[in-house]
Amino acid sequence: MRKDSFSTETLKLVLNKVNQNGAEYQLLDLSNNPLPICYHEESKDMVNVNQATEKVNWADAFILATPDYHGSMSGSLKNFLDYFWSEFAGKTFGYICASHEKGLTVMDQMRTVIRQCYGWSLPYGISIDSNQDFDGNREITSKRVMMRLDSFARDLVVYGGLINEQFKKDLKSTAINNSFAARYRK
Ligand SMILES: Cc1cc2nc3c(=O)[nH]c(=O)nc-3n(C[C@H](O)[C@H](O)[C@H](O)COP(=O)(O)O)c2cc1C
């Protein structure tokens, strides 16, 4: 939600690279599209909630970007995640965290939420430290970080596509009942 957020800035860089790897993307920026607390009376049929839901249903893979708040994700991100469950099944998630302490506990908590919803996670994430990795013009200075952003975008597109394609096949095929996808058939 913070203006000039470094996690959002990093996300935008990665989304460009996602595009270069042949995938389309949509950005859900919770500072432009704030969501009321889940299950609050206001959340029923609210335009912002409907827009978020449309984007979630559209996506085959996700990148969650957050600052490190007390070793965890931001409240606004957790609130967004609380709106969804089965929508995340069979989809792959990658994580970006702006932290001064690597954000490992933050990423673990995002992974736990997604695992609980039968989503898949990339085995590595992006940790960005605004004090070290950006210069005064808010450009990323570290070659190592840029290489990691490159492989993160590439891997999310490739593995996210493969996993979602298989999930959709398993979902459709009534001959296959020994896949976790079977429980998502309507
Ligand atoms: C409420 C709050 C809690 C924070 N807790 C931590 C923390 O536990 N560890 C840490 O490294 N940084 C912490 N920070 C600093 C932010 O994670 C850091 O400034 C980050 O770069 C902000 O990301 P953003 O630019 O995307 O907003 C905290 C900041 C706030 C406002």
Side-chain angles (χ1 to χ4, degrees):
M1 302 294 277
R2 200 178 68 78
K3 194 172 167 289
D4 298 330
S5 148
F6 287 100
S7 48
T8 304
E9 192 136 329
T10 310
L11 172 63
K12 286 178 181 167
L13 278 174
V14 173
L15 288 176
N16 246 326
K17 293 176 183 292
V18 158
N19 221 208
Q20 288 161 11
N21 279 277
E24 291 173 55
Y25 70 82
Q26 294 191 59
L27 172 64
L28 175 63
D29 184 341
L30 294 173
S31 66
N32 298 331
N33 195 88
L35 302 178
I37 291 286
C38 187
Y39 288 120
H40 189 278
E41 197 54 29
E42 268 180 43
S43 65
K44 286 183 197 149
D45 258 345
M46 191 201 199
V47 176
N48 285 11
V49 175
N50 293 339
Q51 280 184 4
T53 306
E54 264 176 37
K55 287 189 167 75
V56 165
N57 288 331
W58 173 84
D60 294 338
F62 293 81
I63 300 170
L64 303 182
T66 181
D68 180 336
Y69 283 173
H70 307 323
S72 185
M73 72 193 91
S74 69
S76 53
L77 177 59
K78 179 61 170 64
N79 183 53
F80 157 76
L81 294 170
D82 290 346
Y83 276 89
F84 305 100
W85 171 60
S86 58
E87 294 86 345
F88 294 154
K91 299 181 177 180
T92 302
F93 287 70
Y95 309 108
I96 294 175
C97 180
S99 173
H100 306 302
E101 300 171 283
K102 295 199 167 76
L104 295 177
T105 54
V106 184
M107 289 195 215
D108 279 347
Q109 290 178 32
M110 291 195 278
R111 259 185 214 115
T112 298
V113 170
I114 295 311
R115 186 206 62 210
Q116 200 73 9
C117 301
Y118 278 74
W120 300 68
S121 292
L122 281 190
Y124 67 99
I126 301 293
S127 168
I128 205 95
D129 185 334
S130 57
N131 294 337
Q132 287 173 19
D133 299 326
F134 287 87
D135 64 16
N137 298 321
R138 299 174 63 82
E139 306 270 350
I140 292 186
T141 49
S142 157
K143 237 182 171 178
R144 195 186 57 81
V145 172
M146 284 308 280
M147 279 168 62
R148 207 166 161 90
L149 298 189
D150 262 344
S151 60
F152 179 78
R154 185 266 174 200
D155 285 344
L156 186 73
V157 170
V158 172
Y159 290 91
L162 288 170
I163 286 174
N164 195 247
E165 195 183 322
Q166 187 61 49
F167 179 76
K168 282 178 182 157
K169 270 191 210 157
D170 289 348
L171 199 59
K172 255 201 221 148
S173 160
T174 45
I176 294 168
N177 285 314
N178 58 350
S179 160
F180 83 105
R183 67 142 96 166
Y184 293 92
R185 281 182 205 135
K186 294 196 174 128

